[in-house]
Amino acid sequence: MSSGYKIVLSGSKTAVSDFRHSNWIGFLGCIPSNYPKMPYSREIMENIFFPTQSDDEGRLKFAPYSLRKIEAALLEYGFTKDEVIIADPRKLDRAIGPETKAIGLTVHDPLGYSAVSQLNACLFRLINWWPAPSYTAAAFGDIIKNPLLKRYNSKLIIGGPGIWQLEEHPEMFKEWGIDCLVSGEAESIAGPLFESAVKGEAVLPERAASGKPLRSDKVPIIRGPSTGGVVEITRGCGRGCQFCTPDLLFFGSIPKENILKEVEIEVRHGIRRIELHSEDALFYGRKLGSFEVNHEAIVDLFTSVKKFPGVRQVATDFFACSTIKSAPKTVKAMSEIMELDKKHPGYVETGLETVSPRLVQNIMPGKVKPYTIEEWPDVIDDALGILDDNHWFTVASMMTGLPKETEQDVIRSIEFIDRIKHHNVFVWVFPLMPLRAMLKNAAKWAPEYTPLRQELILKATRHSISLINREAPRILKVLPVWARPPALLALKYVTGMTLHFFKGADEAIARHEDRLNLYKDLQYAHNKEGEAVMHVSSVVNELVKIGGGSTTLLPEEEQNLLQGS
Ligand code: SF4
């Protein structure tokens, strides 16, 4: 359509890509964009790992679930398919034209501040490799600087799980050309907001958020297939962890008939593996305010999806350890429905965060329920055992750099990794990120990445990389058969070399050589109250500014910077 669509929804190449309907590949976007060191590495990496499929008009065949929801909300509101497109960022020139009044972008990790990007930045520094901003940040830089976004005076509206990163930089909104930043559940406000933009109302609100939670039976049903075959089954969580954005949403389970309608849409477009998304799949169908697992509702849902004509595989993404421990019978039933076995394990994520009772009490007392805070380490250990027994591999996250975290707490975490590493668990320890929900409590807090914290990050990473090395053949089953042997060689080589480089980092830490000293020396950012809230993300921001958004800062330049020249 040469005149362009009225409303164009899109995102960066890394945010909207679809690699064989596999969502985990997205984490590759979090490595520094100056690696691997080879000519045209960005183009090669983006073309291989962040591909997009679209028609001649630039309409994406598979789009991120969040954009599908906005598309559905706009169509429900009264816009037509001729007015709304989810566009391929590689073909924006075919979707945007003189008729385009509003452009909506979804962002996941626009500035590379996400926990995974930050962990990668830390690790690269620890092995003495200078990290440029992540591929995710570089790709956001590409799209936000695309002159097409503003060529026809379209309004630019941005939403998505990564907007907290942009909110850290209100001073950049003008330069980025952002008219409105939408937080939280956008479906209920997308219609009126885009209508204002389409009508050309002069000023959109700089920030927009839905006033009240959306009832789970009112969440619009997607109209096209999502990347990774995602279908949402619950929204919100209700455990109340202080650092958590999903928890800001009201908890509710999506009615089964609506879930199956979305499954039907995915299947109709050729998707055979459905990923049932939630913050904790074991919370599906639970009563509000209760931590009791609704075994019947879960078994009924998973059975219905697995038996849905055309579905070959059902997966899910998150469990909480406390619910696993309280419901081993349900975990077993789910694994049987999903036909998991030794050769075909399931993969699920869980947040451990910390095992310090004091910190659990401070930031996440609800996470351990129905158990006590003192029981938390045993709950994790038992839950991982239940997952092992039922053929799951667990991807577990912990944090360091929490406010009031002592060296004793860090030692406790190090020892805990030793305790659980016999399980099928990948453990990643993330330097804490400044989520909005935590900003107030984080005031006056500035974590220092002490040798002990560095050791903790390295220990967990070494364990997980070793496990990836060992499990590489199973992990690579997502690839076509012909691609597996070269991919296996590459993965074995990369993981083997990484472990080799970690030895050097270990020795450097033992020599008290502080390879993360930059984090201490740069200026602290300030929150609204003027208090220091420096964290690793601000450092990357400094680097983005200094490096012009994509270039690498050389060690000599770093020295000049630190000396103020
Ligand atoms: S349990 Fe997980 S999803 Fe729920 S509030 Fe805590 S961190 Fe958020």
Side-chain angles (χ1 to χ4, degrees), residues 473-547:
R474 272 197 277 205
I475 293 170
L476 293 173
K477 277 196 172 156
V478 64
L479 296 176
V481 177
W482 63 263
R484 288 181 204 166
L488 182 64
L489 274 180
L491 190 55
K492 286 272 184 190
Y493 176 77
V494 169
T495 48
M497 288 308 287
T498 307
L499 292 171
H500 168 74
F501 282 121
F502 282 170
K503 281 188 196 146
D506 262 343
E507 286 156 14
I509 293 171
R511 286 195 300 272
H512 295 285
E513 192 183 309
D514 187 353
R515 292 181 173 181
L516 297 178
N517 65 359
L518 180 71
Y519 298 138
K520 278 188 262 173
D521 295 345
L522 281 178
Q523 287 271 305
Y524 280 4
H526 289 81
N527 67 8
K528 284 188 202 117
E529 285 81 39
E531 295 157 323
V533 287
M534 175 62 182
H535 27 63
V536 192
S537 67
S538 303
V539 175
V540 173
N541 177 41
E542 291 301 316
L543 299 180
V544 172
K545 276 197 273 174
I546 299 155

Side-chain angles (χ1 to χ4, degrees), residues 236-247 279 320 351 353 364 367:
C237 169
R239 286 190 179 273
C241 303
Q242 277 188 30
F243 48 84
C244 178
T245 311
D247 190 60
E279 305 311 328
E353 324 309 359
M364 49 178 225
K367 196 169 189 116

Side-chain angles (χ1 to χ4, degrees), residues 83-144:
E83 294 174 317
V84 182
I85 186 173
I86 302 185
D88 186 338
R90 292 177 166 93
K91 296 180 184 169
L92 282 182
D93 55 330
R94 303 187 195 179
I96 297 176
E99 287 301 313
T100 303
K101 305 293 181 218
I103 297 172
L105 298 183
T106 184
V107 291
H108 295 183
D109 183 26
L111 302 178
Y113 295 180
S114 71
V116 183
S117 292
Q118 290 306 302
L119 173 61
N120 281 329
C122 273
L123 293 171
F124 275 70
R125 283 195 58 77
L126 283 173
I127 60 175
N128 252 347
W129 289 4
W130 190 266
S134 61
Y135 279 93
T136 49
F140 174 75
D142 288 347
I143 195 162
I144 202 73

Side-chain angles (χ1 to χ4, degrees), residues 27-290:
F27 289 119
L28 265 188
C30 297
I31 64 171
S33 56
N34 53 338
Y35 291 95
K37 287 266 179 228
M38 61 184 180
Y40 304 106
S41 62
R42 261 199 75 196
E43 290 82 349
I44 293 170
M45 288 288 285
E46 286 183 350
N47 289 335
I48 294 178
F49 295 111
F50 309 112
T52 40
Q53 288 182 52
S54 51
D55 63 18
D56 289 346
E57 297 200 330
R59 192 181 286 275
L60 275 177
K61 191 167 176 203
F62 303 99
Y65 192 72
S66 56
L67 280 185
R68 285 289 181 213
K69 286 290 185 194
I70 299 304
E71 175 190 49
L74 293 174
L75 296 177
E76 246 175 48
Y77 190 74
F79 289 105
T80 66
K81 277 202 156 188
D82 290 338
E83 294 174 317
V84 182
I85 186 173
I86 302 185
D88 186 338
R90 292 177 166 93
K91 296 180 184 169
L92 282 182
D93 55 330
R94 303 187 195 179
I96 297 176
E99 287 301 313
T100 303
K101 305 293 181 218
I103 297 172
L105 298 183
T106 184
V107 291
H108 295 183
D109 183 26
L111 302 178
Y113 295 180
S114 71
V116 183
S117 292
Q118 290 306 302
L119 173 61
N120 281 329
C122 273
L123 293 171
F124 275 70
R125 283 195 58 77
L126 283 173
I127 60 175
N128 252 347
W129 289 4
W130 190 266
S134 61
Y135 279 93
T136 49
F140 174 75
D142 288 347
I143 195 162
I144 202 73
K145 283 188 221 139
N146 189 327
L148 275 169
L149 297 192
K150 284 291 162 186
R151 181 166 299 162
Y152 304 104
N153 290 324
S154 324
K155 300 286 186 204
L156 181 58
I157 300 170
I158 300 193
I163 63 152
W164 61 272
Q165 301 185 12
L166 303 180
E167 283 175 329
E168 298 264 308
H169 301 284
E171 77 287 355
M172 293 293 290
F173 284 14
K174 208 167 166 205
E175 190 176 324
W176 285 329
I178 298 174
D179 293 291
C180 179
L181 212 53
V182 183
S183 49
E185 287 174 308
E187 294 104 327
S188 52
I189 55 169
L193 193 62
F194 277 87
E195 187 181 31
S196 299
V198 166
K199 283 186 177 160
E201 288 177 9
V203 186
L204 290 183
E206 194 173 83
R207 309 287 176 95
S210 92
K212 55 179 185 179
L214 199 57
R215 273 179 38 186
S216 50
D217 58 343
K218 298 284 178 216
V219 175
I221 293 166
I222 58 171
R223 307 293 180 98
S226 68
T227 49
V230 174
V231 173
E232 185 180 37
I233 59 170
T234 66
R235 190 169 276 198
C237 169
R239 286 190 179 273
C241 303
Q242 277 188 30
F243 48 84
C244 178
T245 311
D247 190 60
L248 300 177
L249 306 175
F250 196 70
F251 176 80
S253 298
I254 310 288
K256 188 177 107 177
E257 58 271 26
N258 291 5
I259 293 172
L260 293 181
K261 281 181 192 161
E262 295 202 342
V263 171
E264 192 277 323
I265 286 168
E266 305 281 14
V267 170
R268 201 185 331 137
H269 291 86
I271 290 187
R272 298 286 171 259
R273 177 185 181 274
I274 301 295
E275 178 153 323
L276 297 177
H277 165 69
S278 66
E279 305 311 328
D280 183 351
L282 290 162
F283 265 2
Y284 181 75
R286 82 171 160 129
K287 285 201 192 95
L288 210 57
S290 153

Side-chain angles (χ1 to χ4, degrees), residues 248-414:
L248 300 177
L249 306 175
F250 196 70
F251 176 80
S253 298
I254 310 288
K256 188 177 107 177
E257 58 271 26
N258 291 5
I259 293 172
L260 293 181
K261 281 181 192 161
E262 295 202 342
V263 171
E264 192 277 323
I265 286 168
E266 305 281 14
V267 170
R268 201 185 331 137
H269 291 86
I271 290 187
R272 298 286 171 259
R273 177 185 181 274
I274 301 295
E275 178 153 323
L276 297 177
H277 165 69
S278 66
E279 305 311 328
D280 183 351
L282 290 162
F283 265 2
Y284 181 75
R286 82 171 160 129
K287 285 201 192 95
L288 210 57
S290 153
F291 290 98
E292 208 170 303
V293 167
N294 187 337
H295 178 85
E296 285 72 30
I298 294 169
V299 169
D300 178 43
L301 174 69
F302 276 71
T303 306
S304 302
V305 176
K306 181 70 176 53
K307 288 192 171 159
F308 197 91
V311 172
R312 276 197 212 125
Q313 202 187 347
V314 180
T316 192
D317 47 6
F318 288 97
F319 287 147
C321 284
S322 32
T323 28
I324 296 167
K325 162 128 172 132
S326 71
K329 184 176 91 170
T330 313
V331 175
K332 187 168 189 293
M334 289 169 85
S335 310
E336 284 167 3
I337 296 165
M338 294 159 80
E339 297 178 1
L340 303 183
D341 59 30
K342 220 171 171 193
K343 278 193 181 158
H344 306 94
Y347 292 89
V348 72
E349 294 176 51
T350 193
L352 314 182
E353 324 309 359
T354 174
V355 284
S356 155
R358 189 173 36 79
L359 294 176
V360 173
Q361 173 68 54
N362 282 348
I363 62 165
M364 49 178 225
K367 196 169 189 116
V368 306
K369 285 181 181 166
Y371 302 97
T372 64
I373 288 170
E374 288 65 34
E375 287 175 299
W376 180 231
D378 296 335
V379 169
I380 297 172
D381 201 357
D382 293 348
L384 294 175
I386 293 168
L387 291 175
D388 288 348
D389 293 345
N390 291 288
H391 313 294
W392 290 86
F393 275 77
T394 313
V395 180
S397 60
M398 295 180 76
M399 296 192 285
T400 187
L402 289 158
K404 301 192 181 145
E405 181 189 59
T406 63
E407 296 278 275
Q408 195 50 43
D409 295 324
V410 183
I411 291 171
R412 208 190 278 261
S413 295
I414 290 175

